Amino acid sequence: MIYPPGQNVAKCPEVGGVLACSLPVFVAVGEANSVGGEELNQTLQDCIQATLSKWFATIPPTLETNQLPMTLDCSIPEETEAITAEEREELKVSVKIFLSECDCSSIRNAVEMACHSLGVSQLDSVIIAPPPLPDGDNQTLEHLQPLWAELEGLVRSNKVTAIGTSDLDKTILEQLYNWAQVKPSSNQVNLASCCVMPPDLTAFAKEFDIQLLTHNDPKELISATAFQEAVQESTQDLQVADWSLEWVLRYSLIVKSRGIIKSKGYLVHAKRNNL
């Protein structure tokens, strides 16, 4: 389960309808790091389509679409592997949240959904990927501040241990570091934008103990069109134009002693705009 029954209204009172999908990754762990760009877009789209198709197959054929509940919990329990108490100390739970819109409440919603789905009370690391900016616009501290403040609240409430950023250059990272009360522990750098880490960024990160990581995620993990195509392919009954993607969360369970990934998965959250 992702949402306990009845909790969705309390968490998201402004959302009229929510589509929440717990998705297994259909990519072998050994291949995961090489998947990026359009290939990752397609992988995620295929995951959403497969999970929704399997979930809709469990609905009684006599049930009409307008009889569906306001919240659709589209998880497949046997494919959502919760962490047991015995193995929790051996695993690092790391997530990256890709926001489609600047809604700060989405960050807490995503963290709570991940904790509930994985059966943990705290995430070890959360990296935030802000919504893609229009062409020609640059990331600014003002864009990041409300998102970062939400992450800081999650650290203070012991829902998250460490928080990090994505694709910040030295100037913006320094501004965020100086402003933030809870300092960033890491910053991801896209390999497509720089084959070698910028020297000024490397020096700053080393001085202030910020871990620099690399990634090959596309700027937009999945487009609105691709998401709606996945929903359309899974069922002909839903009005796909009514649904819009809010965020995607990718989680990784890493065996601490061996530094290997035990499993990966996605959580996808969308809302229905027209009721």
Side-chain angles (χ1 to χ4, degrees):
M1 290 287 290
I2 292 178
Y3 282 115
Q7 279 198 2
N8 56 297
V9 176
K11 289 182 181 178
C12 302
E14 75 283 4
V15 175
V18 177
L19 174 64
C21 313
S22 176
L23 306 173
V25 176
F26 295 99
V27 181
V29 170
E31 299 172 347
N33 288 334
S34 64
V35 176
E38 293 183 3
E39 187 176 353
L40 181 55
N41 292 142
Q42 188 62 51
T43 297
L44 182 55
Q45 183 177 344
D46 292 344
C47 287
I48 294 172
Q49 180 181 331
T51 300
L52 287 176
S53 296
K54 190 170 184 179
W55 184 83
F56 277 111
T58 66
I59 297 177
T62 56
L63 186 66
E64 298 292 335
T65 304
N66 59 11
Q67 295 176 300
L68 291 173
M70 295 289 285
T71 295
L72 305 181
D73 176 7
C74 304
S75 61
I76 310 298
E78 62 269 22
E79 294 179 354
T80 305
E81 183 180 0
I83 299 171
T84 65
E86 291 75 19
E87 63 183 353
R88 179 64 181 96
E89 289 300 316
E90 303 298 323
L91 295 175
K92 176 182 178 180
V93 184
S94 177
V95 310
K96 184 174 182 179
I97 303 172
F98 302 84
L99 295 174
S100 296
E101 53 189 48
C102 280
D103 182 355
C104 296
S105 65
S106 292
I107 297 174
R108 181 172 294 274
N109 187 10
V111 168
E112 290 180 350
M113 188 178 289
C115 287
H116 197 83
S117 181
L118 297 173
V120 299
S121 60
Q122 185 182 60
L123 303 179
D124 296 303
S125 172
V126 173
I127 290 175
I128 191 73
L133 295 171
D135 290 340
D137 287 3
N138 295 318
Q139 191 65 263
T140 66
L141 178 62
E142 288 72 23
H143 285 136
L144 295 171
Q145 284 173 327
L147 304 177
W148 196 258
E150 188 70 25
L151 287 173
E152 290 180 325
L154 290 167
V155 173
R156 296 190 189 96
S157 61
N158 295 318
K159 297 294 290 185
V160 175
T161 301
I163 51 181
T165 60
S166 180
D167 299 317
L168 298 189
D169 59 23
K170 186 262 184 183
T171 300
I172 302 300
L173 182 59
E174 183 176 15
Q175 291 175 0
L176 177 64
Y177 186 92
N178 291 335
W179 171 83
Q181 296 182 27
V182 179
K183 308 300 182 181
S185 64
S186 61
N187 179 45
Q188 284 192 337
V189 179
N190 195 321
L191 287 174
S193 60
C194 63
C195 297
V196 179
M197 290 285 184
D200 60 342
L201 179 61
T202 302
F204 179 80
K206 182 177 181 180
E207 180 180 358
F208 293 96
D209 196 26
I210 300 173
Q211 186 178 16
L212 292 182
L213 308 170
T214 59
H215 75 91
N216 59 353
D217 297 319
K219 289 184 178 181
E220 188 175 41
L221 199 60
I222 181 171
S223 68
T225 301
F227 172 75
Q228 291 184 347
E229 286 177 357
V231 177
Q232 186 69 63
E233 289 295 324
S234 64
T235 175
Q236 300 299 316
D237 296 327
L238 288 182
Q239 296 296 318
V240 297
D242 293 345
W243 294 89
S244 61
L245 193 65
E246 285 195 310
W247 52 260
V248 176
L249 178 147
R250 181 175 63 221
Y251 64 83
S252 300
L253 308 183
I254 303 167
V255 181
K256 295 179 183 178
S257 61
R258 303 174 63 189
I260 62 173
I261 298 174
K262 180 189 178 192
S263 64
K264 281 188 176 186
Y266 289 98
L267 301 177
V268 177
H269 199 270
K271 66 180 178 182
R272 198 167 81 195
N273 300 308
N274 299 316
L275 297 174

